[in-house]
Amino acid sequence: MALNQRLDLRQGQSLVMTPQLQQAIKLLQMSNLELQAFVDQELERNPLLERDERAEVQKSPEPAEAQTDMVTALASNSAAEERLRTLDTELENVYTHESRADAANRGQAAPPPDSGWSSLRPQGALSLDAEGLDFGATLTRQPTLAEHLTGQMHLLLAGAAEQLIGQHLIGSLNEAGYLAADVPSMAETLGASTAHVEAVLAKLQSCDPPGVFARDLRECLTLQLKERDRFDPAMAILVGHLDLVAKRDYAALKILCRVNLEDLKDMVAELRALDPKPGHAFGAEPVQPVIPDVIVRPSPEGAWIVELNTETLPRVLINHQYLARVSANAQRSEDKVYLSECQANATWLVKSLDQRARTILKVAREIVRQQDAFLLLGVQHLRPLNLRTVADAIEMHESTVSRVTSNKYMATPRGIFELKYFFTTAIASSDSNGDAHSAEAVRHRIRELIAEEGQNVLSDDTIVDKLKASGIDIARRTVAKYRESLGIPSSVRRRREARVQGPQ
C-alpha cells in the first residue's frame, strides 16, 4: 500500500464556546439572589454601569417592553464599536442551539487574557490561574435547616406531588424546627386530601434532627423518644402531663405513670436531656424567604396571567454621558482599550439580562399551559411533563429549559413551587385517544383505592383492573413499585392485619 501526502479543504460548522456564551449560560442558571449579588459585583467593577434608580415600570408580561430603555445605542467611538464586534456574539447561540456536549464542556474554555471578561467571573468561582484564585470559594458554611431537610426529602418522598407537599412543609418550619402551618389549610391550598398531607408529614418526621416537623413541644419530645426507642406507656403519660413536670408535682406523676420515685426521676432526667428546639442546631443565619421569579394569577376571563417578578430583576444601564466625557479625555491607547472593553462588557451584560428574563418567562408560560389542571384542581391532577415537551413547544434546547427550571420559583394560587417540580413521568392511557396520566396522579389513585378497601383487601392485580377501568394502562409490577414507594404493605400482609383487627 502506497503512502502519500495531500492537502484537502473541508468546510464545516461548529459552535465555539466563547467567554460571552459561557457568561450568558451562568446568568441563566443563577437564582435571583445569586444574580443580584453578581450584578452588584459588576456595578463595582465596571465604571460605565449604573443601577436604574428610576421609578419601577409597570409590570408587563413581556420583559422586552419593560426593559427597552435598558438597551441603549452604542457610543459613536470607533474603537469601542470595533471592540464590541470582536467580543459580541448572538445570544440565540446560548438559548436555542446549545448542544449537550457544549453544556458539559462549558466550564473548560478560558477567556482570552485580553478579552476583559476575566472581570466577570462570578463570585466564588475557581480559577486555574494562581493569580486569579478566589480563596473564598474554598470556604464552607454550615447548611441551613431547610437545605439539610431538602436533601433527606428527596430520599423519603416519591413523586412530584409528594415532593411539592414536602417542599411546602419545609417552607412552613420556624427556626426551632416546628411546623407553623395548619395541615388542613395547607391541604386545601394544594388541592390534596388532609390524609395525604398527613402521610407526607409522617414521613418527614423521621428526618434528622429528631423532633423536626413537630406541631408542639409534646409531639417534638415524642418524636425524639420514639427515635431512641424510649416511648413506652409510662413515658407517654409523662409527656402528656408536661405541666405537672414543670411544677415538679412528682406525687401526681407517680400515680399517673405508676412508677416509683426513683424511676420517675430517671424519666424526668431523660426528658430534660432532649432538645426542645431541634432546628436551632443549624446555623444562626436568618431564614431566607423564597422569592418567586414568576408570578401566576387568574385573570377575570378564566385564563392565567404569567408575569415576571420585577423585584427580582436587576435593572442596570450604561452611563453614556460619563462614557462620552471620559472618552474625550482619554489620550493613551491603553485607556481607550480599557473603555472599549468596559463598554462591550456592559452592553453584553444588559443584553444577557434581558434575554434571561425573556427565556424564563417563555418557559414559565409553557409550564402553566401544561399544568393548568393542577392549578385548577390540585396536586392529584399533575400532568406528565418532561423537558423535551417544553423545549419542543417553545423551540429551545432541553439544556436551556433545564437551566431555567433550576433555582427558579413560581408563585401560584396553590403556593410557591420550584419550576422543576412540575416535571413528572407519564403513565399511558388505556384509551387510544386518551391523555397520558402523571405518575404522581396514579400513585394518588392507588392510595385512594387502598384507603377505601376496608375488609375487602385489593390485590395488585385487582388494582390494575380498577385502574384500567378508569382509563389508566399500567402493569402489575408498576403498581407494586408505586405501592411500596408509598409505604403500603402487600395485600397478604394487609389481609392478615385486617383479620387481626376485625370489623370496625
Side-chain angles (χ1 to χ4, degrees):
M1 179 177 64
L3 297 178
N4 61 339
Q5 293 181 339
R6 65 178 183 178
L7 183 63
D8 290 335
L9 182 63
R10 296 182 180 180
Q11 184 178 10
Q13 291 182 337
S14 64
L15 177 63
V16 179
M17 290 296 293
T18 65
Q20 295 82 8
L21 294 181
Q22 296 180 49
Q23 187 59 46
I25 291 171
K26 291 176 182 177
L27 288 178
L28 183 60
Q29 60 193 15
M30 284 181 182
S31 66
N32 50 39
L33 295 178
E34 293 171 337
L35 185 65
Q36 291 283 0
F38 174 75
V39 171
D40 289 342
Q41 192 177 37
E42 292 312 306
L43 288 169
E44 295 179 1
R45 290 177 174 175
N46 195 326
L48 302 183
L49 282 174
E50 64 178 19
R51 192 181 300 278
D52 186 4
E53 302 292 348
R54 293 172 296 178
E56 182 180 355
V57 296
Q58 184 179 3
K59 290 183 180 179
S60 170
E62 288 292 348
E65 285 74 6
Q67 301 177 15
T68 51
D69 55 344
M70 295 175 57
V71 184
T72 55
L74 301 177
S76 59
N77 184 289
S78 59
E81 292 179 352
E82 179 63 28
R83 192 62 180 172
L84 182 60
R85 283 194 293 269
T86 303
L87 288 176
D88 205 2
T89 186
E90 292 297 328
L91 283 171
E92 286 73 12
N93 291 338
V94 180
Y95 295 97
T96 57
H97 303 300
E98 183 192 355
S99 66
R100 292 186 178 89
D102 297 326
N105 298 324
R106 64 180 181 272
Q108 298 179 1
D114 63 339
S115 68
W117 280 89
S118 58
S119 63
L120 291 182
R121 183 181 297 117
Q123 184 178 10
L126 286 174
S127 170
L128 298 180
D129 183 0
E131 296 181 357
L133 180 62
D134 183 0
F135 289 99
T138 64
L139 301 179
T140 60
R141 64 171 178 84
Q142 187 178 13
T144 64
L145 177 63
E147 292 171 346
H148 182 70
L149 294 173
T150 299
Q152 300 175 71
M153 178 192 74
H154 293 301
L155 300 176
L156 291 172
L157 305 182
E162 283 198 356
Q163 293 193 9
L164 282 170
I165 296 173
Q167 182 187 20
H168 261 260
L169 290 170
I170 292 176
S172 300
L173 296 179
N174 59 25
E175 294 183 1
Y178 286 80
L179 185 64
D182 180 61
V183 171
S185 62
M186 182 182 295
E188 182 180 358
T189 299
L190 293 173
S193 64
T194 302
H196 192 182
V197 178
E198 289 280 3
V200 174
L201 177 60
K203 292 182 180 180
L204 292 178
Q205 285 180 339
S206 64
C207 288
D208 177 78
V212 291
F213 293 101
R215 283 157 284 193
D216 52 38
L217 177 60
R218 181 179 292 110
E219 187 175 21
C220 179
L221 299 178
T222 298
L223 292 172
Q224 295 181 55
L225 290 168
K226 288 182 177 179
E227 194 272 338
R228 299 184 180 190
D229 197 21
R230 284 292 295 117
F231 193 68
D232 52 38
M235 188 65 80
I237 295 174
L238 182 66
V239 173
H241 294 81
L242 294 177
D243 54 335
L244 298 180
V245 176
K247 296 177 182 178
R248 297 180 181 271
D249 191 349
Y250 291 163
L253 289 172
K254 281 171 53 181
I255 298 174
L256 291 170
C257 297
R258 298 181 181 181
V259 295
N260 57 39
L261 182 59
E262 184 178 355
D263 290 340
L264 180 61
K265 289 182 177 180
D266 290 340
M267 292 168 61
V268 171
E270 188 173 0
L271 198 63
R272 294 186 185 280
L274 301 176
D275 187 357
K277 297 180 179 180
H280 283 178
F282 289 83
E285 298 180 4
V287 177
Q288 294 289 344
V290 174
I291 303 176
D293 301 86
V294 181
I295 299 174
V296 179
R297 53 190 174 88
S299 69
E301 294 79 15
W304 297 103
I305 298 175
V306 183
E307 58 189 4
L308 292 172
N309 184 1
T310 56
E311 295 180 0
T312 67
L313 296 176
R315 295 181 54 79
V316 293
L317 298 172
I318 302 174
N319 191 333
H320 288 279
Q321 293 181 350
Y322 177 74
L323 173 62
R325 186 167 64 251
V326 296
S327 297
N329 296 327
Q331 301 296 331
R332 298 186 307 169
S333 60
E334 294 85 353
D335 296 337
K336 295 179 180 180
V337 170
Y338 172 73
L339 288 174
S340 64
E341 288 178 350
C342 288
Q343 182 186 358
N345 295 345
T347 302
W348 177 264
L349 178 61
V350 172
K351 290 173 62 178
S352 296
L353 291 175
D354 180 72
Q355 188 64 41
R356 176 184 182 273
R358 291 171 177 269
T359 306
I360 293 174
L361 184 62
K362 187 177 293 187
V363 172
R365 281 175 167 171
E366 183 60 24
I367 290 176
V368 170
R369 191 182 72 83
Q370 296 283 347
Q371 299 293 4
D372 174 72
F374 160 74
L375 296 174
L376 287 174
L377 304 175
V379 70
Q380 66 270 24
H381 294 278
L382 273 172
R383 287 189 58 188
L385 187 62
N386 55 43
L387 296 175
R388 176 170 291 278
T389 301
V390 174
D392 291 343
I394 62 178
E395 297 182 349
M396 286 187 175
H397 197 276
E398 286 181 69
S399 61
T400 302
V401 178
S402 177
R403 292 187 182 97
V404 170
T405 55
S406 297
N407 301 315
K408 311 295 188 306
Y409 291 85
M410 177 188 293
T412 73
R414 296 199 176 277
I416 299 177
F417 306 98
E418 190 172 5
L419 295 183
K420 68 179 181 181
Y421 283 113
F422 289 101
F423 295 87
T424 179
T425 55
I427 302 297
S429 171
S430 58
D431 184 357
S432 58
N433 297 323
D435 294 332
H437 303 273
S438 164
E440 183 51 38
V442 175
R443 285 192 183 93
H444 182 79
R445 181 56 182 153
I446 292 174
R447 184 190 292 109
E448 287 183 335
L449 289 173
I450 295 177
E452 298 169 357
E453 66 184 4
Q455 294 293 319
N456 299 320
V457 177
L458 303 176
S459 66
D460 291 345
D461 289 324
T462 304
I463 294 175
V464 169
D465 295 338
K466 289 182 174 293
L467 291 176
K468 287 185 177 180
S470 60
I472 302 174
D473 187 10
I474 189 171
R476 180 186 178 280
R477 62 180 180 275
T478 306
V479 169
K481 181 181 70 174
Y482 286 178
R483 174 179 51 75
E484 292 171 359
S485 70
L486 295 170
I488 300 174
S490 65
S491 59
V492 175
R493 181 176 171 184
R494 299 202 310 275
R495 192 174 291 108
R496 185 184 304 116
E497 291 175 353
R499 285 199 297 266
V500 171
Q501 295 176 359
Q504 299 296 323

